[in-house]
Amino acid sequence: MCRIAGAPRTLLPLLAALLQASVEASGEITLCKTGFPEDVYSAVLPKDVHEGQPLLNVKFSNCNRKRKVQYESSEPADFKVDEDGTVYAVRSFPLTAEQAKFLIYAQDQETQEKWQVAVNLSLEPTLTEEPVKDPHEIEEIVFPRQLAKHSGSLQRQKRDWVIPPINLPENSRGPFPQELVRIRSDRDKNLSLRYSVTGPGADQPPTGIFIINPISGQLSVTKPLDRELIARFHLRAHAVDINGNQVENPIDIVINVIDMNDNRPEFLHQVWNGSVPEGSKPGTYVMTVTAIDADDPNALNGMLRYRILSQAPSTPSPNMFTINNETGDIITVAAGLDREKVQQYTLIIQATDMEGNPTYGLSNTATAVITVTDVNDNPPEFTAMTFYGEVPENRVDVIVANLTVTDKDQPHTPAWNAVYRISGGDPTGRFAIQTDPNSNDGLVTVVKPIDFETNRMFVLTVAAENQVPLAKGIQHPPQSTATVSVTVIDVNENPYFAPNPKIIRQEEGLHAGTMLTTLTAQDPDRYMQQSIRYTKLSDPANWLKIDPVNGQITTIAVLDRESPNVKNNIYNATFLASDNGIPPMSGTGTLQIYLLDINDNAPQVLPQEAETCETPEPNSINITALDYDIDPNAGPFAFDLPLSPVTIKRNWTITRLNGDFAQLNLKIKFLEAGIYEVPIIITDSGNPPKSNISILRVKVCQCDSNGDCTDVDRIVGAGLGTGAIIAILLCIIILLILVLMFVVWMKRRDKERQAKQLLIDPEDDVRDNILKYDEEGGGEEDQDYDLSQLQQPDTVEPDAIKPVGIRRLDERPIHAEPQYPVRSAAPHPGDIGDFINEGLKAADNDPTAPPYDSLLVFDYEGSGSTAGSLSSLNSSSSGGDQDYDYLNDWGPRFKKLADMYGGGDD
């Protein structure tokens, strides 16, 4: 037998009775009987039953272990039976007398055989009925006895019972560990047992909340519990011997955490936003605010109530809204919501638990912001009854007047946007009104030109209304009306010609000075005294003139229908009419002259060149006529050959094929090849007819069997035209100029190359070579070098002042020489190279200078030598037997030397 610490003492006999079972003590073995061993099962429970709570166990004797039995409850909505016979609560409910009795059925799934047993549930006694309990006394839970054999017969174990849950308030202050119950087994008298508990809160997370003394079996809680974290703990108690062998079946212990009011209500949002249309009736739903409480919602700690603490502003009533204290729904309770007066209300909402008990309940607040939305309860109203504007005539897309309205509704909404229309005064639709989206003004605009001479003023009736209709019940008219007075301003307009273009018909060939017509322009400005003058604007052939005052048009040349300026027999001329208004205006008019054809063009042969064979066969020449006139002054044509010269009709014959074509053939059997000019008389069909002798150039050639000419020359090559000859001559002249320019360029290039060669490559210079190998100096006097002569060559004494006795014989002799232009006495540079280059150029341009003279002057080495000059030696004594004819092969530079040594006796 077991006891629960803290349970009422009156429950112990009842629990013992529930555990006691009748056991037959006879020595004979009792036969097994299938069914419930008891007729009624009873259990004592607290008033509040929780979902999933085990209530009691029922046993079913199944003699055939293969039999499958299924349990059912007569109250399936409240109770269910597990396969092991444990009865659980399906839902949480307070136990009443009606629910205290029900039946449990057991049915064989194969044979459908059915058994039943009754269950009676009774409530625990109230605290007033309990005797005073020692607070230091701890109740015990004793493991039930197991089924055992006795004297060879089966002995049934005592009936199981359900241990009531242990209720433990949350947030307990201790001291801890706090003892709850003591668990023990009847076998602890004979055996040394060890007790343990398992489950969440013991050996499973969160571990360590509940502990048990393994020796005494005392179950304790180690710290305060929080129902909001875990509302119920389900533990199992175990008893084993010192070897770890199970000596008792585990028993279930349920610990319920009793809720305390330790959590304030919390709103889901601190600020709630809602809206309601203005003018709403009382009872209109606005919004819902919601708060939650972490405490038990089925207890007073979690039951919330709402109320409005304040309303701002408090107009027109301090109680414009109310709130459902259970659901949090906010509705209107008073009329008079007007957005134009109050656009937004702010409510402070309070939520209190303990069903709103202001003394014991916890509270919290939030803000509800209610926006009053606009409805169209105010029509637009014009700011004036009459608006004025003016517009120049013939102008479009001009804003004439600006219509202004006022509307008390929310700007830039359909209830504020104005729509304008013209209800009268504009039958022809010359005006339109557009709405300015920013200012909501109406812009009266001209969409069709207005003529001052027709309408000088318009009086328009306009109306303004909103994009959406007015709300129901509004007493104002839906629209506002006003008038717009528009004055038309007269402006100077363009003169115009009527009709334009003006078409007249005239025969071509009219002589100059013929009056054709009068082109008159109209001035639309009837109320202005103005004059019009005319000028010619376009006359492609310059055939016409116009009188500037009256617009009379006269010819100044002969009209010719065949002129290239005439298209489709029509000649176009444009004239300008200008008034003297301010500012002056002008208009154009076109005169179209349809020219009638006269027979003023003689027909011509076409083609003008042809070819044929020397014999009449096998081909002929087909010809036609070209006439610039049109019917009836053109074809059909008559073709004939002239009588003179007589060779024409003797050699040729012409045959008319139809009105436009004829055929020219050889009349004689053979005509020598060549170019022949055949005159042909062509007469048109005009009245009177016009004839012309047209020349056809015919090339007579030798033909093959197919009738094709075999001559190389064609008729085109028989003679060159003037243009071809000029072109050929121009090509020849250009070619000659190019050749001449090339020759001049080559000569200039040769001279530049020779000049550069003397400076760059002195080894090839003949004069340098001779001086290098044949000049042996002036002896001792050559040892004194006068460097100043090299730096300033111009300072060398002139030859005329040198003493005659000391002149070198190899220098250039003094005698009368032709005069040449003296070089400019430009200051010499300090570099001797520039001086040598200038002397070289002067020697090259001097035809009288020997090829060695200039260089000898540059290589001047003094005033004389005691050894004398090599020029004084008699060369004939030493070199007379040598042959110097090879000098002639060395080029023009050695010509003088060749003449001196290789010239024979001369």
Side-chain angles (χ1 to χ4, degrees), residues 816-835:
E817 295 176 352
Q819 298 297 321
Y820 292 96
V822 181
R823 289 178 293 167
S824 62
H828 279 283
D831 190 357
I832 192 62
D834 296 335
F835 174 73

Side-chain angles (χ1 to χ4, degrees), residues 438-452:
N438 297 321
S439 63
N440 211 28
D441 295 344
L443 308 178
V444 182
T445 309
V446 181
V447 294
K448 292 182 181 179
I450 303 175
D451 188 8
F452 173 82

Side-chain angles (χ1 to χ4, degrees), residues 36 38-41 58 102-106 115-119:
F36 292 101
E38 299 290 339
D39 295 331
V40 177
Y41 285 92
V58 295
F102 61 95
L103 298 177
I104 293 178
Y105 304 100
W115 298 267
Q116 70 178 23
V117 67
V119 177

Side-chain angles (χ1 to χ4, degrees), residues 277-343:
E278 63 175 330
S280 296
K281 297 179 179 179
T284 303
Y285 171 80
V286 180
M287 61 190 300
T288 299
V289 296
T290 304
I292 58 175
D293 196 317
D295 293 326
D296 188 357
N298 298 316
L300 292 177
N301 299 334
M303 295 182 180
L304 306 182
R305 295 296 182 263
Y306 301 93
R307 70 190 186 99
I308 298 175
L309 296 181
S310 64
Q311 168 192 311
S314 58
T315 57
S317 169
N319 299 313
M320 296 296 294
F321 304 93
T322 187
I323 187 170
N324 187 310
N325 63 347
E326 294 185 1
T327 63
D329 295 340
I330 300 176
I331 60 175
T332 59
V333 293
L337 290 174
D338 190 352
R339 191 205 65 85
E340 286 73 36
K341 295 180 180 178
V342 180
Q343 299 182 3

Side-chain angles (χ1 to χ4, degrees), residues 460-521:
L460 310 178
T461 302
V462 296
E465 56 188 1
N466 292 124
Q467 288 181 348
V468 295
L470 286 176
K472 295 181 180 179
I474 304 302
Q475 303 300 324
H476 300 286
Q479 64 182 14
S480 177
T481 59
T483 58
V484 182
S485 178
V486 181
T487 302
V488 183
I489 302 174
D490 190 16
V491 297
N492 189 20
E493 300 178 75
N494 298 325
Y496 65 93
F497 291 89
N500 191 16
K502 184 175 184 179
I503 302 174
I504 62 173
R505 300 170 64 90
Q506 289 289 344
E507 283 190 351
E508 65 172 332
L510 289 178
H511 298 291
T514 304
M515 197 277 289
L516 298 180
T517 184
T518 300
L519 202 61
T520 306

